[in-house]
Amino acid sequence: MEYSEDESRGTAALLQPPSPAAVDSQQSEVSSELEKVLSDTELSYWKRIRVATWIELKLLFRLAAPAIGVYLINNFMSLSTRIFAGHLGNLQLAAASLGNQGIQLFAYGLMLGMGSAVETLCGQAYGAGRHEMLGIYLQRATVVLTLTGLPMVFIYIFSKPILILLGESKTLASEASIFVYGLIPQIFAYAINFPVQKYLQAQSIVKPSAYISLATLCLHLLLSWVVVYKIGLGLIGASLVLSLSWWIIVVAQFVYILMSEKCKATWIGFSFEAFKGLWEFVKLSAASAVMLCLETWYFQILILITGLLKDPQLALDALSACLGVNAIVFMISVGFNAAASVRVGNELGAGHPKSASFAVTVVNLVSFIIAVIAAGIVLSLRHVISYAFTDGETVAEAVSDLCPLLAVTLVLNGVQPVLSGVAVGCGWQAFVAYVNVGCYYVVGIPLGCILGFKFDFGVKGIWLGMLGGTMMQTIILVWVTFRTDWNKEVEKARNRLDKWDDIKKPLLVD
């Protein structure tokens, strides 16, 4: 079957670099073209799949590639901070890892989780053409997250007694608290950054964030070297530079929003509407926070439990190196997570159930293949990975021993974060929160403690048990996604937008 000139316009548009004024209409045309291809029964099944895959891959990588760059760069800023600390000594590496993974990740998980509420609303509103609401959602989320950040400050201030109460040694807790004090300004950078990031991603505006993050990373590395080694501020200097770098990203992104032609339809200025319906937004954000916090804190708990082993410094050093590598590869999956959330949210908002379902399949396959390749690379380099973080043959041997578990984790992380992105795009946060509680905290952590302490498997046993929880959660999410009725999800998106939108306009249903 041949398509008319009008019907082929969406595919042809992919070959032309869009002007800012044409971005919205072009994206809508391409999205509609994908739905038409998937619905065209006059084409053979395999031809539909082939054409649809080509269209979806273009849409996916246009979102995922810059998003992956942003997450990798932002993660590498934290990782490089730990590396700078690690070359001060093994104690400093363990302290920075404990402060970063044990305390900072608490705030990160909470803020990222609450920020995913705006991801659901902005993605579906943008797909439905309700552009005016994106700026309001951004401001509401920023207000809610900033207020949430205030009690987080006290956790950071009292991090030393908290860590001691959790069983960490006084020496390690004292060093970790010094690192944590410098991260207090970062809390409020998170409160602004995550809503801004989701606001931009919902509109498929991701390249500017990547450029901003890359420039900030270069500055971060230079400042860290000067402050830690030349000025000699040590751990507190390293963490203060990290906080400063996050604020540079926040300010630069907000300046972009104010000046960009692409954001004129969605940013209509500061509005008192941002302070209306805050409680409803808090409830939606809380469901999102519980979902993602339970995931983010899972490996934070792994760090804290490892600190209770017989030789916590060696275990934490080895685990820090492994989790540092895992975090790098995980950021690739998180980039696909963001792309999956935007693609699914946009397609549901636009009333395209087949496109939403097909996007889920493509993004999971691509992410899984990349994760398998990464796992193979890690296994081949298992004896030398640790030297990027710290010197010492003892740590290198411990890291090499953990690498098989790291490889399995990488493969699972090729699917699980992407499925979480699908959940955010659909607004399933509350359901996934229940799944996470059962898999992670009823199964994974208790099993890890039994293997690690009762059977004396140490950090390997703790990690094995927690891997079991992750695998269970992944299987459940795969099953639920496979059985999803995407036509019903379109109706749910319609109802959600009608509830949250002050401007009633019909969905763009073909």
Side-chain angles (χ1 to χ4, degrees), residues 81 99 103-104 153 156-157 159 175-189 233-247:
T81 299
I103 299 294
Q104 180 210 25
V153 172
Y156 278 51
I157 292 174
S159 57
E175 290 293 309
S177 65
I178 292 173
F179 182 82
V180 167
Y181 295 153
L183 297 178
I184 291 176
Q186 189 188 47
I187 298 173
F188 300 100
L233 291 181
L235 285 175
I236 186 68
S239 56
L240 282 172
V241 170
L242 183 58
S243 292
L244 174 63
S245 297
W246 272 89
W247 270 106

PDB file of all heavy atoms in Angstrom, residues 81 99 103-104 153 156-157 159 175-189 233-247:
ATOM      1  N   THR A  81      33.683  13.198  42.327  1.00  0.00           N
ATOM      2  CA  THR A  81      33.887  13.703  43.683  1.00  0.00           C
ATOM      3  C   THR A  81      34.366  12.584  44.600  1.00  0.00           C
ATOM      4  O   THR A  81      35.279  12.773  45.417  1.00  0.00           O
ATOM      5  CB  THR A  81      32.584  14.317  44.225  1.00  0.00           C
ATOM      6  OG1 THR A  81      32.192  15.412  43.389  1.00  0.00           O
ATOM      7  CG2 THR A  81      32.757  14.821  45.650  1.00  0.00           C
ATOM      8  N   GLY A  99      28.655   8.868  52.886  1.00  0.00           N
ATOM      9  CA  GLY A  99      27.906  10.120  52.872  1.00  0.00           C
ATOM     10  C   GLY A  99      27.095  10.285  51.601  1.00  0.00           C
ATOM     11  O   GLY A  99      25.935  10.711  51.637  1.00  0.00           O
ATOM     12  N   ILE A 103      23.529   9.032  52.809  1.00  0.00           N
ATOM     13  CA  ILE A 103      22.735  10.191  53.230  1.00  0.00           C
ATOM     14  C   ILE A 103      22.213  10.970  52.030  1.00  0.00           C
ATOM     15  O   ILE A 103      21.010  11.217  51.911  1.00  0.00           O
ATOM     16  CB  ILE A 103      23.563  11.134  54.134  1.00  0.00           C
ATOM     17  CG1 ILE A 103      24.010  10.405  55.410  1.00  0.00           C
ATOM     18  CG2 ILE A 103      22.758  12.369  54.481  1.00  0.00           C
ATOM     19  CD1 ILE A 103      22.876  10.007  56.330  1.00  0.00           C
ATOM     20  N   GLN A 104      23.116  11.347  51.124  1.00  0.00           N
ATOM     21  CA  GLN A 104      22.714  12.157  49.976  1.00  0.00           C
ATOM     22  C   GLN A 104      21.670  11.446  49.125  1.00  0.00           C
ATOM     23  O   GLN A 104      20.735  12.060  48.623  1.00  0.00           O
ATOM     24  CB  GLN A 104      23.930  12.497  49.117  1.00  0.00           C
ATOM     25  CG  GLN A 104      23.588  13.350  47.897  1.00  0.00           C
ATOM     26  CD  GLN A 104      24.535  13.093  46.739  1.00  0.00           C
ATOM     27  OE1 GLN A 104      25.131  12.028  46.628  1.00  0.00           O
ATOM     28  NE2 GLN A 104      24.668  14.074  45.885  1.00  0.00           N
ATOM     29  N   VAL A 153      17.295  19.157  55.585  1.00  0.00           N
ATOM     30  CA  VAL A 153      18.474  19.846  56.117  1.00  0.00           C
ATOM     31  C   VAL A 153      18.857  19.288  57.484  1.00  0.00           C
ATOM     32  O   VAL A 153      20.045  19.093  57.786  1.00  0.00           O
ATOM     33  CB  VAL A 153      18.215  21.363  56.202  1.00  0.00           C
ATOM     34  CG1 VAL A 153      19.368  22.070  56.934  1.00  0.00           C
ATOM     35  CG2 VAL A 153      18.031  21.960  54.815  1.00  0.00           C
ATOM     36  N   TYR A 156      20.769  16.076  57.290  1.00  0.00           N
ATOM     37  CA  TYR A 156      22.163  16.308  56.927  1.00  0.00           C
ATOM     38  C   TYR A 156      22.961  16.832  58.119  1.00  0.00           C
ATOM     39  O   TYR A 156      24.094  16.404  58.363  1.00  0.00           O
ATOM     40  CB  TYR A 156      22.245  17.324  55.777  1.00  0.00           C
ATOM     41  CG  TYR A 156      22.020  16.741  54.402  1.00  0.00           C
ATOM     42  CD1 TYR A 156      20.914  15.940  54.124  1.00  0.00           C
ATOM     43  CD2 TYR A 156      22.909  17.006  53.368  1.00  0.00           C
ATOM     44  CE1 TYR A 156      20.701  15.417  52.865  1.00  0.00           C
ATOM     45  CE2 TYR A 156      22.711  16.491  52.092  1.00  0.00           C
ATOM     46  CZ  TYR A 156      21.600  15.702  51.846  1.00  0.00           C
ATOM     47  OH  TYR A 156      21.394  15.186  50.591  1.00  0.00           O
ATOM     48  N   ILE A 157      22.367  17.771  58.869  1.00  0.00           N
ATOM     49  CA  ILE A 157      23.071  18.359  60.015  1.00  0.00           C
ATOM     50  C   ILE A 157      23.380  17.307  61.079  1.00  0.00           C
ATOM     51  O   ILE A 157      24.470  17.288  61.665  1.00  0.00           O
ATOM     52  CB  ILE A 157      22.240  19.508  60.620  1.00  0.00           C
ATOM     53  CG1 ILE A 157      22.183  20.694  59.641  1.00  0.00           C
ATOM     54  CG2 ILE A 157      22.817  19.952  61.955  1.00  0.00           C
ATOM     55  CD1 ILE A 157      21.266  21.823  60.089  1.00  0.00           C
ATOM     56  N   SER A 159      23.738  14.093  60.611  1.00  0.00           N
ATOM     57  CA  SER A 159      24.135  12.855  59.928  1.00  0.00           C
ATOM     58  C   SER A 159      25.087  12.004  60.773  1.00  0.00           C
ATOM     59  O   SER A 159      25.014  10.769  60.736  1.00  0.00           O
ATOM     60  CB  SER A 159      24.790  13.180  58.584  1.00  0.00           C
ATOM     61  OG  SER A 159      25.903  14.036  58.747  1.00  0.00           O
ATOM     62  N   GLU A 175      33.913  11.314  59.559  1.00  0.00           N
ATOM     63  CA  GLU A 175      34.417  11.728  58.248  1.00  0.00           C
ATOM     64  C   GLU A 175      33.280  11.884  57.245  1.00  0.00           C
ATOM     65  O   GLU A 175      33.263  12.822  56.448  1.00  0.00           O
ATOM     66  CB  GLU A 175      35.442  10.713  57.742  1.00  0.00           C
ATOM     67  CG  GLU A 175      36.753  10.704  58.489  1.00  0.00           C
ATOM     68  CD  GLU A 175      37.547  11.988  58.273  1.00  0.00           C
ATOM     69  OE1 GLU A 175      37.737  12.381  57.111  1.00  0.00           O
ATOM     70  OE2 GLU A 175      37.960  12.591  59.278  1.00  0.00           O
ATOM     71  N   ALA A 176      32.316  10.960  57.286  1.00  0.00           N
ATOM     72  CA  ALA A 176      31.181  11.028  56.354  1.00  0.00           C
ATOM     73  C   ALA A 176      30.340  12.270  56.601  1.00  0.00           C
ATOM     74  O   ALA A 176      29.854  12.904  55.659  1.00  0.00           O
ATOM     75  CB  ALA A 176      30.318   9.773  56.487  1.00  0.00           C
ATOM     76  N   SER A 177      30.164  12.653  57.862  1.00  0.00           N
ATOM     77  CA  SER A 177      29.347  13.836  58.182  1.00  0.00           C
ATOM     78  C   SER A 177      29.996  15.116  57.664  1.00  0.00           C
ATOM     79  O   SER A 177      29.297  16.038  57.234  1.00  0.00           O
ATOM     80  CB  SER A 177      29.114  13.923  59.685  1.00  0.00           C
ATOM     81  OG  SER A 177      30.334  14.152  60.379  1.00  0.00           O
ATOM     82  N   ILE A 178      31.320  15.164  57.688  1.00  0.00           N
ATOM     83  CA  ILE A 178      32.019  16.324  57.130  1.00  0.00           C
ATOM     84  C   ILE A 178      31.691  16.475  55.652  1.00  0.00           C
ATOM     85  O   ILE A 178      31.409  17.580  55.161  1.00  0.00           O
ATOM     86  CB  ILE A 178      33.540  16.182  57.333  1.00  0.00           C
ATOM     87  CG1 ILE A 178      33.884  16.276  58.818  1.00  0.00           C
ATOM     88  CG2 ILE A 178      34.300  17.248  56.539  1.00  0.00           C
ATOM     89  CD1 ILE A 178      35.339  15.981  59.134  1.00  0.00           C
ATOM     90  N   PHE A 179      31.706  15.366  54.933  1.00  0.00           N
ATOM     91  CA  PHE A 179      31.367  15.374  53.508  1.00  0.00           C
ATOM     92  C   PHE A 179      29.917  15.800  53.305  1.00  0.00           C
ATOM     93  O   PHE A 179      29.600  16.581  52.396  1.00  0.00           O
ATOM     94  CB  PHE A 179      31.600  13.969  52.931  1.00  0.00           C
ATOM     95  CG  PHE A 179      31.336  13.840  51.466  1.00  0.00           C
ATOM     96  CD1 PHE A 179      32.290  14.208  50.533  1.00  0.00           C
ATOM     97  CD2 PHE A 179      30.126  13.348  51.011  1.00  0.00           C
ATOM     98  CE1 PHE A 179      32.054  14.093  49.179  1.00  0.00           C
ATOM     99  CE2 PHE A 179      29.877  13.221  49.657  1.00  0.00           C
ATOM    100  CZ  PHE A 179      30.838  13.596  48.741  1.00  0.00           C
ATOM    101  N   VAL A 180      29.027  15.316  54.157  1.00  0.00           N
ATOM    102  CA  VAL A 180      27.596  15.581  54.013  1.00  0.00           C
ATOM    103  C   VAL A 180      27.267  17.056  54.253  1.00  0.00           C
ATOM    104  O   VAL A 180      26.391  17.622  53.576  1.00  0.00           O
ATOM    105  CB  VAL A 180      26.787  14.679  54.971  1.00  0.00           C
ATOM    106  CG1 VAL A 180      25.339  15.143  55.076  1.00  0.00           C
ATOM    107  CG2 VAL A 180      26.843  13.233  54.496  1.00  0.00           C
ATOM    108  N   TYR A 181      27.963  17.709  55.176  1.00  0.00           N
ATOM    109  CA  TYR A 181      27.678  19.120  55.464  1.00  0.00           C
ATOM    110  C   TYR A 181      27.788  19.980  54.203  1.00  0.00           C
ATOM    111  O   TYR A 181      27.004  20.910  54.001  1.00  0.00           O
ATOM    112  CB  TYR A 181      28.633  19.655  56.524  1.00  0.00           C
ATOM    113  CG  TYR A 181      28.483  19.017  57.892  1.00  0.00           C
ATOM    114  CD1 TYR A 181      29.566  18.970  58.768  1.00  0.00           C
ATOM    115  CD2 TYR A 181      27.274  18.453  58.298  1.00  0.00           C
ATOM    116  CE1 TYR A 181      29.439  18.379  60.021  1.00  0.00           C
ATOM    117  CE2 TYR A 181      27.145  17.858  59.534  1.00  0.00           C
ATOM    118  CZ  TYR A 181      28.229  17.818  60.400  1.00  0.00           C
ATOM    119  OH  TYR A 181      28.101  17.225  61.629  1.00  0.00           O
ATOM    120  N   GLY A 182      28.745  19.668  53.360  1.00  0.00           N
ATOM    121  CA  GLY A 182      28.924  20.444  52.138  1.00  0.00           C
ATOM    122  C   GLY A 182      27.867  20.194  51.091  1.00  0.00           C
ATOM    123  O   GLY A 182      27.793  20.916  50.083  1.00  0.00           O
ATOM    124  N   LEU A 183      27.032  19.181  51.298  1.00  0.00           N
ATOM    125  CA  LEU A 183      25.987  18.836  50.328  1.00  0.00           C
ATOM    126  C   LEU A 183      24.640  19.474  50.663  1.00  0.00           C
ATOM    127  O   LEU A 183      23.669  19.275  49.923  1.00  0.00           O
ATOM    128  CB  LEU A 183      25.821  17.312  50.252  1.00  0.00           C
ATOM    129  CG  LEU A 183      27.027  16.512  49.755  1.00  0.00           C
ATOM    130  CD1 LEU A 183      26.715  15.018  49.795  1.00  0.00           C
ATOM    131  CD2 LEU A 183      27.422  16.922  48.344  1.00  0.00           C
ATOM    132  N   ILE A 184      24.547  20.225  51.753  1.00  0.00           N
ATOM    133  CA  ILE A 184      23.274  20.833  52.136  1.00  0.00           C
ATOM    134  C   ILE A 184      22.720  21.752  51.036  1.00  0.00           C
ATOM    135  O   ILE A 184      21.529  21.680  50.715  1.00  0.00           O
ATOM    136  CB  ILE A 184      23.407  21.582  53.477  1.00  0.00           C
ATOM    137  CG1 ILE A 184      23.621  20.567  54.616  1.00  0.00           C
ATOM    138  CG2 ILE A 184      22.168  22.432  53.754  1.00  0.00           C
ATOM    139  CD1 ILE A 184      23.871  21.195  55.974  1.00  0.00           C
ATOM    140  N   PRO A 185      23.525  22.625  50.408  1.00  0.00           N
ATOM    141  CA  PRO A 185      22.966  23.463  49.333  1.00  0.00           C
ATOM    142  C   PRO A 185      22.439  22.654  48.149  1.00  0.00           C
ATOM    143  O   PRO A 185      21.570  23.121  47.413  1.00  0.00           O
ATOM    144  CB  PRO A 185      24.154  24.338  48.914  1.00  0.00           C
ATOM    145  CG  PRO A 185      25.088  24.325  50.076  1.00  0.00           C
ATOM    146  CD  PRO A 185      24.935  22.973  50.686  1.00  0.00           C
ATOM    147  N   GLN A 186      22.964  21.451  47.990  1.00  0.00           N
ATOM    148  CA  GLN A 186      22.542  20.610  46.866  1.00  0.00           C
ATOM    149  C   GLN A 186      21.072  20.197  46.987  1.00  0.00           C
ATOM    150  O   GLN A 186      20.399  19.958  45.977  1.00  0.00           O
ATOM    151  CB  GLN A 186      23.435  19.370  46.792  1.00  0.00           C
ATOM    152  CG  GLN A 186      23.242  18.520  45.538  1.00  0.00           C
ATOM    153  CD  GLN A 186      24.017  17.230  45.628  1.00  0.00           C
ATOM    154  OE1 GLN A 186      23.980  16.531  46.648  1.00  0.00           O
ATOM    155  NE2 GLN A 186      24.728  16.888  44.566  1.00  0.00           N
ATOM    156  N   ILE A 187      20.565  20.100  48.217  1.00  0.00           N
ATOM    157  CA  ILE A 187      19.171  19.692  48.427  1.00  0.00           C
ATOM    158  C   ILE A 187      18.228  20.590  47.635  1.00  0.00           C
ATOM    159  O   ILE A 187      17.313  20.120  46.944  1.00  0.00           O
ATOM    160  CB  ILE A 187      18.802  19.761  49.929  1.00  0.00           C
ATOM    161  CG1 ILE A 187      19.668  18.807  50.739  1.00  0.00           C
ATOM    162  CG2 ILE A 187      17.322  19.444  50.131  1.00  0.00           C
ATOM    163  CD1 ILE A 187      19.478  18.955  52.248  1.00  0.00           C
ATOM    164  N   PHE A 188      18.447  21.903  47.714  1.00  0.00           N
ATOM    165  CA  PHE A 188      17.532  22.848  47.087  1.00  0.00           C
ATOM    166  C   PHE A 188      17.809  22.995  45.588  1.00  0.00           C
ATOM    167  O   PHE A 188      16.924  23.407  44.829  1.00  0.00           O
ATOM    168  CB  PHE A 188      17.606  24.181  47.823  1.00  0.00           C
ATOM    169  CG  PHE A 188      17.232  24.050  49.272  1.00  0.00           C
ATOM    170  CD1 PHE A 188      18.211  23.986  50.253  1.00  0.00           C
ATOM    171  CD2 PHE A 188      15.905  23.921  49.649  1.00  0.00           C
ATOM    172  CE1 PHE A 188      17.877  23.827  51.596  1.00  0.00           C
ATOM    173  CE2 PHE A 188      15.555  23.772  50.981  1.00  0.00           C
ATOM    174  CZ  PHE A 188      16.539  23.716  51.957  1.00  0.00           C
ATOM    175  N   ALA A 189      19.019  22.621  45.173  1.00  0.00           N
ATOM    176  CA  ALA A 189      19.273  22.516  43.738  1.00  0.00           C
ATOM    177  C   ALA A 189      18.456  21.364  43.153  1.00  0.00           C
ATOM    178  O   ALA A 189      17.881  21.481  42.063  1.00  0.00           O
ATOM    179  CB  ALA A 189      20.762  22.303  43.478  1.00  0.00           C
ATOM    180  N   LEU A 233      41.193  21.643  51.042  1.00  0.00           N
ATOM    181  CA  LEU A 233      39.968  21.601  51.849  1.00  0.00           C
ATOM    182  C   LEU A 233      39.419  20.185  52.037  1.00  0.00           C
ATOM    183  O   LEU A 233      38.446  19.992  52.761  1.00  0.00           O
ATOM    184  CB  LEU A 233      38.892  22.497  51.229  1.00  0.00           C
ATOM    185  CG  LEU A 233      39.171  24.002  51.290  1.00  0.00           C
ATOM    186  CD1 LEU A 233      38.020  24.782  50.674  1.00  0.00           C
ATOM    187  CD2 LEU A 233      39.412  24.460  52.727  1.00  0.00           C
ATOM    188  N   GLY A 234      39.993  19.206  51.349  1.00  0.00           N
ATOM    189  CA  GLY A 234      39.631  17.810  51.574  1.00  0.00           C
ATOM    190  C   GLY A 234      38.180  17.486  51.286  1.00  0.00           C
ATOM    191  O   GLY A 234      37.599  17.940  50.299  1.00  0.00           O
ATOM    192  N   LEU A 235      37.566  16.698  52.188  1.00  0.00           N
ATOM    193  CA  LEU A 235      36.209  16.196  51.966  1.00  0.00           C
ATOM    194  C   LEU A 235      35.183  17.317  51.888  1.00  0.00           C
ATOM    195  O   LEU A 235      34.304  17.312  51.026  1.00  0.00           O
ATOM    196  CB  LEU A 235      35.824  15.223  53.087  1.00  0.00           C
ATOM    197  CG  LEU A 235      36.451  13.830  53.027  1.00  0.00           C
ATOM    198  CD1 LEU A 235      36.072  13.035  54.266  1.00  0.00           C
ATOM    199  CD2 LEU A 235      36.013  13.083  51.773  1.00  0.00           C
ATOM    200  N   ILE A 236      35.260  18.279  52.774  1.00  0.00           N
ATOM    201  CA  ILE A 236      34.272  19.363  52.776  1.00  0.00           C
ATOM    202  C   ILE A 236      34.391  20.190  51.499  1.00  0.00           C
ATOM    203  O   ILE A 236      33.386  20.635  50.921  1.00  0.00           O
ATOM    204  CB  ILE A 236      34.424  20.264  54.024  1.00  0.00           C
ATOM    205  CG1 ILE A 236      33.306  21.314  54.097  1.00  0.00           C
ATOM    206  CG2 ILE A 236      35.781  20.944  54.041  1.00  0.00           C
ATOM    207  CD1 ILE A 236      31.954  20.736  54.367  1.00  0.00           C
ATOM    208  N   GLY A 237      35.589  20.381  51.013  1.00  0.00           N
ATOM    209  CA  GLY A 237      35.784  21.115  49.766  1.00  0.00           C
ATOM    210  C   GLY A 237      35.206  20.374  48.579  1.00  0.00           C
ATOM    211  O   GLY A 237      34.570  20.978  47.706  1.00  0.00           O
ATOM    212  N   ALA A 238      35.397  19.046  48.551  1.00  0.00           N
ATOM    213  CA  ALA A 238      34.873  18.241  47.451  1.00  0.00           C
ATOM    214  C   ALA A 238      33.355  18.324  47.375  1.00  0.00           C
ATOM    215  O   ALA A 238      32.770  18.469  46.299  1.00  0.00           O
ATOM    216  CB  ALA A 238      35.318  16.788  47.614  1.00  0.00           C
ATOM    217  N   SER A 239      32.698  18.221  48.531  1.00  0.00           N
ATOM    218  CA  SER A 239      31.228  18.239  48.532  1.00  0.00           C
ATOM    219  C   SER A 239      30.670  19.630  48.249  1.00  0.00           C
ATOM    220  O   SER A 239      29.626  19.769  47.602  1.00  0.00           O
ATOM    221  CB  SER A 239      30.687  17.707  49.858  1.00  0.00           C
ATOM    222  OG  SER A 239      31.207  18.436  50.953  1.00  0.00           O
ATOM    223  N   LEU A 240      31.359  20.679  48.707  1.00  0.00           N
ATOM    224  CA  LEU A 240      30.899  22.039  48.405  1.00  0.00           C
ATOM    225  C   LEU A 240      30.975  22.331  46.914  1.00  0.00           C
ATOM    226  O   LEU A 240      30.081  22.980  46.350  1.00  0.00           O
ATOM    227  CB  LEU A 240      31.733  23.062  49.185  1.00  0.00           C
ATOM    228  CG  LEU A 240      31.383  23.243  50.664  1.00  0.00           C
ATOM    229  CD1 LEU A 240      32.419  24.126  51.350  1.00  0.00           C
ATOM    230  CD2 LEU A 240      29.976  23.821  50.838  1.00  0.00           C
ATOM    231  N   VAL A 241      32.020  21.859  46.258  1.00  0.00           N
ATOM    232  CA  VAL A 241      32.137  22.043  44.811  1.00  0.00           C
ATOM    233  C   VAL A 241      31.014  21.301  44.097  1.00  0.00           C
ATOM    234  O   VAL A 241      30.446  21.797  43.117  1.00  0.00           O
ATOM    235  CB  VAL A 241      33.518  21.568  44.307  1.00  0.00           C
ATOM    236  CG1 VAL A 241      33.549  21.538  42.779  1.00  0.00           C
ATOM    237  CG2 VAL A 241      34.612  22.475  44.827  1.00  0.00           C
ATOM    238  N   LEU A 242      30.671  20.103  44.588  1.00  0.00           N
ATOM    239  CA  LEU A 242      29.576  19.341  43.985  1.00  0.00           C
ATOM    240  C   LEU A 242      28.260  20.107  44.095  1.00  0.00           C
ATOM    241  O   LEU A 242      27.483  20.173  43.135  1.00  0.00           O
ATOM    242  CB  LEU A 242      29.462  17.975  44.660  1.00  0.00           C
ATOM    243  CG  LEU A 242      28.404  17.018  44.093  1.00  0.00           C
ATOM    244  CD1 LEU A 242      28.649  16.740  42.613  1.00  0.00           C
ATOM    245  CD2 LEU A 242      28.383  15.706  44.887  1.00  0.00           C
ATOM    246  N   SER A 243      27.998  20.708  45.267  1.00  0.00           N
ATOM    247  CA  SER A 243      26.776  21.505  45.438  1.00  0.00           C
ATOM    248  C   SER A 243      26.766  22.703  44.495  1.00  0.00           C
ATOM    249  O   SER A 243      25.745  23.014  43.867  1.00  0.00           O
ATOM    250  CB  SER A 243      26.670  21.996  46.888  1.00  0.00           C
ATOM    251  OG  SER A 243      26.449  20.927  47.776  1.00  0.00           O
ATOM    252  N   LEU A 244      27.902  23.367  44.378  1.00  0.00           N
ATOM    253  CA  LEU A 244      28.000  24.521  43.487  1.00  0.00           C
ATOM    254  C   LEU A 244      27.721  24.129  42.044  1.00  0.00           C
ATOM    255  O   LEU A 244      27.010  24.841  41.316  1.00  0.00           O
ATOM    256  CB  LEU A 244      29.395  25.144  43.598  1.00  0.00           C
ATOM    257  CG  LEU A 244      29.709  26.289  42.615  1.00  0.00           C
ATOM    258  CD1 LEU A 244      28.783  27.479  42.868  1.00  0.00           C
ATOM    259  CD2 LEU A 244      31.170  26.706  42.735  1.00  0.00           C
ATOM    260  N   SER A 245      28.248  22.995  41.627  1.00  0.00           N
ATOM    261  CA  SER A 245      28.056  22.540  40.244  1.00  0.00           C
ATOM    262  C   SER A 245      26.579  22.298  39.941  1.00  0.00           C
ATOM    263  O   SER A 245      26.092  22.628  38.859  1.00  0.00           O
ATOM    264  CB  SER A 245      28.872  21.262  40.004  1.00  0.00           C
ATOM    265  OG  SER A 245      30.255  21.507  40.153  1.00  0.00           O
ATOM    266  N   TRP A 246      25.847  21.716  40.894  1.00  0.00           N
ATOM    267  CA  TRP A 246      24.419  21.490  40.680  1.00  0.00           C
ATOM    268  C   TRP A 246      23.662  22.809  40.562  1.00  0.00           C
ATOM    269  O   TRP A 246      22.728  22.937  39.768  1.00  0.00           O
ATOM    270  CB  TRP A 246      23.849  20.635  41.819  1.00  0.00           C
ATOM    271  CG  TRP A 246      23.983  19.168  41.542  1.00  0.00           C
ATOM    272  CD1 TRP A 246      25.024  18.358  41.856  1.00  0.00           C
ATOM    273  CD2 TRP A 246      23.038  18.345  40.858  1.00  0.00           C
ATOM    274  NE1 TRP A 246      24.795  17.076  41.420  1.00  0.00           N
ATOM    275  CE2 TRP A 246      23.580  17.040  40.801  1.00  0.00           C
ATOM    276  CE3 TRP A 246      21.797  18.571  40.288  1.00  0.00           C
ATOM    277  CZ2 TRP A 246      22.918  15.968  40.202  1.00  0.00           C
ATOM    278  CZ3 TRP A 246      21.128  17.508  39.689  1.00  0.00           C
ATOM    279  CH2 TRP A 246      21.690  16.225  39.652  1.00  0.00           C
ATOM    280  N   TRP A 247      24.059  23.808  41.335  1.00  0.00           N
ATOM    281  CA  TRP A 247      23.391  25.104  41.251  1.00  0.00           C
ATOM    282  C   TRP A 247      23.694  25.798  39.921  1.00  0.00           C
ATOM    283  O   TRP A 247      22.847  26.504  39.375  1.00  0.00           O
ATOM    284  CB  TRP A 247      23.793  25.991  42.430  1.00  0.00           C
ATOM    285  CG  TRP A 247      22.868  25.797  43.589  1.00  0.00           C
ATOM    286  CD1 TRP A 247      23.121  25.133  44.744  1.00  0.00           C
ATOM    287  CD2 TRP A 247      21.516  26.255  43.680  1.00  0.00           C
ATOM    288  NE1 TRP A 247      22.012  25.139  45.555  1.00  0.00           N
ATOM    289  CE2 TRP A 247      21.015  25.828  44.932  1.00  0.00           C
ATOM    290  CE3 TRP A 247      20.683  26.975  42.835  1.00  0.00           C
ATOM    291  CZ2 TRP A 247      19.716  26.107  45.348  1.00  0.00           C
ATOM    292  CZ3 TRP A 247      19.384  27.252  43.249  1.00  0.00           C
ATOM    293  CH2 TRP A 247      18.917  26.830  44.490  1.00  0.00           C
TER     294      TRP A 247
END
